[in-house]
Amino acid sequence: MAANNVTRLLDARKIKYQAFELPVEKISARHTALLLNISPHIVYKSIVVVREKPGKTILAVIPGDHEVDLKTLAAHLSEKKLRIPTQREAEQLTGLQAGGISPLALINKGFQII
């Protein structure tokens, strides 16, 4: 498997991990779990969330078998309204392709990771 920014970060910090090869095309967390023969509850997905008013873009990291509850998240953050951007917007905001938006790749990039 080719090194990328995430594996280089983990290697530099001497964090043990196991990398898996997955199809190049974007697949869901549930499909990933099926391919790896594991529970979707232990496959995490990153969902980009945008505030109505200016502020840090949010990256919600949730189990693969869950959905983001925008009302609950907004209340937790004392925000009036949040929204899920389009795939294109999410890619423009993060600089990463949908299906590969990683919280590790966005450390110190101005995102609020929850």
Side-chain angles (χ1 to χ4, degrees):
M1 175 174 270
N4 59 43
N5 289 341
V6 173
T7 58
R8 283 190 281 278
L9 175 119
L10 294 170
D11 291 339
R13 295 187 180 178
K14 297 184 181 359
I15 297 171
K16 291 184 181 185
Y17 63 92
Q18 183 177 3
F20 297 92
E21 290 282 342
L22 293 169
V24 175
E25 68 272 4
K26 180 183 165 193
I27 60 175
S28 69
R30 288 180 191 268
H31 189 188
T32 298
L34 184 66
L35 289 173
L36 299 176
N37 196 31
I38 59 176
S39 167
H41 191 72
I42 62 171
V43 174
Y44 282 76
K45 57 187 177 182
S46 303
I47 308 296
V48 178
V49 180
V50 179
R51 290 174 158 85
E52 184 177 69
K53 295 182 179 178
K56 286 184 177 183
T57 301
I58 301 156
L59 192 63
V61 181
I62 60 173
D65 58 352
H66 284 67
E67 300 290 325
V68 173
D69 182 328
L70 293 176
K71 287 185 179 186
T72 301
L73 183 58
H76 175 74
L77 297 171
S78 301
E79 293 285 339
K80 188 172 183 177
K81 188 174 181 183
L82 300 172
R83 69 177 178 84
I84 304 288
T86 65
Q87 179 177 321
R88 183 179 171 148
E89 286 177 291
E91 290 176 344
Q92 289 174 336
L93 288 165
T94 63
L96 301 169
Q97 289 183 334
I101 298 175
S102 165
L104 293 177
L106 297 173
I107 290 174
N108 300 323
K109 302 284 184 180
F111 289 83
Q112 183 174 4
I113 300 173
I114 297 182

